Amino acid sequence: MTTNHYYDRDVVSIRDFTRDELEFLFNFTDKISNFSRTERSELGKGRTLGSIYYEPSTRTRMSFEAAISSIGGSSIGITDPKSSSIEKGESLSDTVRIMDLYSDVLVLRHPLDGSGRFASELSTNPVINAGSGSEEHPTQAMLDLYTIYKEKGKIDGLRIGIIGDLKYGRTIYSLVYGLANYNVDIRLISPPTLSIRKESIYGMERKLKIHEYSELPEDILSTLDVIYVTRIQRERFPDIQEYEKVKGTYTIDQTTLDKSKTDVSIMHPLPRLDEISHSIDSTNNATYFRQAANGKEIRAALLALITNEDLV
Ligand code: NCD
């Protein structure tokens, strides 16, 4: 019998997971995606997901809730701090402690870097980091890697462009850390003021081929297998005037597709603003809605594995 390395485990950083563990999750996701509704509903029976969102969320929250419900469990949570005792001044640590009493697994989104690790140290039950400031969003990277693997049939050997706000976008840090398990060529494209934080990828250069650009050269665009687009993170700018200078810098549209590989996958963690033109939504290159759908499946598999020791 295989050991379930996910059982009772926190998901704070994607760096805590090996390539084998990630691939085990992808295979398990494929497996349960083919289960009947009845088979699936046995996986999380009686389990409660407790979520605490200090920042807005659409996909992450809804896909976690849809995921736990699809495996037979239920969810409770704070979706708006204003409607909870946080508004009265209750601390993060007390809020986590209380949620820990009522649930089997916790999901936390918070504007501060380090918040996921902090909560995991307080909680007796496993904590899943659903976004900690501009630091990390590990389950987003799990679903992003799974999407690449499903769309391309492999991750090794690909050339991946990551474009947009590489300074504040937490999804791209988790993605780059996750990709460091593979042999990939990464091209980073951002305005110079929004380039990747060097200290956060310290040591990664040894594992990854990374090149940076402020504009994407056409001879590179035509070689990309995946273009991962991100939103400029207005809420994280210390000075809104700096945001005004860079907003709307890049747009992926039909002209971009015309210069790209015919099978290029356009990905985005969403929400998008104007970085991807709606006019390409109906092309097969537009991968972002399939990516969002994969989020529910990956999270269902993850929740099932975290809450059941003897699943595999
Ligand atoms: C992202 C986030 O919250 O970091 N959203 C998501 O979870 N899919 C991306 C973003 O807000 O730009």
Side-chain angles (χ1 to χ4, degrees):
M1 193 165 165
T2 340
T3 314
N4 172 6
H5 292 287
Y6 285 83
Y7 177 63
D8 203 25
R9 185 148 170 208
D10 298 310
V11 184
V12 171
S13 167
I14 191 110
R15 292 200 253 200
D16 298 336
F17 295 85
T18 64
R19 174 171 171 155
D20 280 353
E21 287 170 347
L22 292 171
E23 287 177 356
F24 173 80
L25 177 67
F26 303 157
N27 292 331
F28 189 72
T29 305
D30 283 342
K31 183 171 158 188
I32 70 162
S33 292
N34 294 318
F35 274 16
S36 69
R37 271 178 196 270
T38 325
E39 272 177 302
R40 251 180 106 111
S41 69
E42 291 300 315
L43 300 171
K45 218 176 194 162
R47 305 290 195 275
T48 302
L49 173 79
S51 47
I52 315 173
Y53 286 88
Y54 283 80
E55 287 187 341
S57 173
T58 297
R59 271 148 298 274
T60 304
R61 181 170 68 77
M62 294 201 300
S63 64
F64 264 117
E65 289 178 7
I68 192 79
S69 129
S70 78
I71 59 168
S74 55
S75 55
I76 56 169
I78 298 170
T79 55
D80 174 10
K82 285 202 166 24
S83 67
S84 75
S85 289
I86 297 167
E87 181 70 6
K88 299 179 188 167
E90 188 159 38
S91 64
L92 172 61
S93 61
D94 281 3
T95 309
V96 167
R97 280 198 184 98
I98 299 303
M99 193 58 90
D100 188 25
L101 301 173
Y102 301 150
S103 15
D104 299 292
V105 51
L106 276 72
V107 171
L108 174 71
R109 170 169 288 186
H110 193 278
L112 288 181
D113 291 22
S115 50
R117 188 74 66 195
F118 175 72
S120 74
E121 284 162 6
L122 290 169
S123 174
T124 55
N125 285 303
V127 170
I128 301 176
N129 175 10
S132 47
S134 50
E135 180 190 41
E136 272 217 58
H137 189 352
T139 61
Q140 179 70 44
M142 287 170 174
L143 79 92
D144 292 342
L145 294 172
Y146 178 64
T147 300
I148 297 172
Y149 147 82
K150 270 190 84 160
E151 298 281 325
K152 301 290 178 199
K154 61 173 187 180
I155 301 179
D156 279 323
L158 296 181
R159 182 173 278 185
I160 299 174
I162 308 180
I163 182 162
D165 184 347
L166 310 185
K167 181 173 185 184
Y168 297 117
R170 56 193 170 204
T171 66
I172 70 106
Y173 287 91
S174 292
L175 179 62
V176 169
Y177 302 152
L179 286 173
N181 292 296
Y182 295 87
N183 174 23
V184 284
D185 175 343
I186 298 184
R187 307 289 163 148
L188 301 175
I189 308 105
S190 69
T193 51
L194 294 182
S195 62
I196 199 155
R197 302 187 305 266
K198 294 292 170 309
E199 70 280 12
S200 300
I201 57 158
Y202 182 75
M204 291 280 147
E205 303 86 343
R206 275 184 281 119
K207 296 188 204 155
L208 286 169
K209 294 183 213 103
I210 298 185
H211 296 85
E212 294 188 73
Y213 309 87
S214 55
E215 299 283 341
L216 185 56
E218 285 190 14
D219 59 328
I220 300 294
L221 173 62
S222 62
T223 63
L224 296 176
D225 299 295
V226 173
I227 305 179
Y228 189 97
V229 191
T230 64
R231 173 179 72 90
I232 311 250
Q233 310 271 305
R234 179 172 50 86
E235 68 278 25
R236 304 203 196 283
F237 276 66
D239 179 352
I240 200 69
Q241 287 183 356
E242 290 301 311
Y243 169 73
E244 295 297 332
K245 284 185 204 158
V246 287
K247 74 172 188 201
T249 309
Y250 306 104
T251 306
I252 304 295
D253 54 16
Q254 190 55 48
T255 317
T256 323
L257 291 186
D258 291 343
K259 295 175 187 158
S260 303
K261 277 190 165 180
T262 49
D263 65 346
V264 66
S265 298
I266 309 293
M267 295 177 63
H268 194 307
L270 303 178
R272 72 170 144 184
L273 301 179
D274 50 9
E275 331 60 76
I276 299 181
S277 163
H278 289 255
S279 64
I280 69 157
D281 287 358
S282 55
T283 65
N284 198 44
N285 307 96
T287 308
Y288 28 96
F289 293 118
R290 293 194 291 277
Q291 185 183 353
N294 290 338
K296 177 189 158 197
E297 295 303 298
I298 274 282
R299 289 175 172 126
L302 186 64
L303 291 170
L305 291 168
I306 288 177
T307 58
N308 288 282
E309 189 165 15
D310 302 322
L311 214 51
V312 286

